Amino acid sequence: MDDLFLYLSGGLGVTVSIVHGYLGETRIVRPVVASSAAAKRVLSAIMFLSAVYWFCAGALVLSAPTFFPGATRSVIAFTAAGIFLSGALGNFWATRGRHFGWALLALCCGLAIAGA
């Protein structure tokens, strides 16, 4: 059952990151008319790097049951849970809970902890 939780957490984390990266670039970054080019670069970096972090965490959690034994697997799961939780809290705070992304990241976090 622990393996299933890790597979679900990793798969959901990878999916959320890909959707976040795509929608963030097409719906938020491109339409923004920033006062400066630097502001647009910062926004693009925030959207891109958060998607990369979630993708890497999801990929590690997804591979943990297959490639990593015991204690290493738990460390990966708890580290990824921290990454997902920080994203969930940041998303919840920034959107005041009106965006569903925080709930998906919180679910990834809970599944990773359950599978650890």
Side-chain angles (χ1 to χ4, degrees):
M1 195 67 172
D2 293 342
D3 290 351
L4 178 63
F5 288 143
L6 290 178
Y7 287 134
L8 289 172
S9 174
L12 185 60
V14 166
T15 303
V16 166
S17 72
I18 291 170
V19 171
H20 179 270
Y22 174 75
L23 291 178
E25 181 64 29
T26 59
R27 306 288 175 138
I28 296 174
V29 175
R30 284 186 193 163
V32 165
V33 180
S35 58
S36 69
K40 194 166 184 175
R41 280 194 311 270
V42 168
L43 178 61
S44 180
I46 290 169
M47 296 300 291
F48 178 74
L49 290 176
S50 60
V52 168
Y53 295 148
W54 298 336
F55 184 88
C56 290
L60 278 171
V61 171
L62 193 58
S63 66
T66 306
F67 297 111
F68 300 105
T72 306
R73 173 182 156 150
S74 295
V75 169
I76 289 171
F78 284 121
T79 302
I83 291 169
F84 292 141
L85 182 61
S86 67
L89 293 174
N91 191 315
F92 184 82
W93 174 77
T95 64
R96 293 179 176 83
R98 292 182 294 232
H99 186 275
F100 62 89
W102 71 269
L104 292 174
L105 289 171
L107 180 60
C108 289
C109 174
L111 288 169
I113 290 172

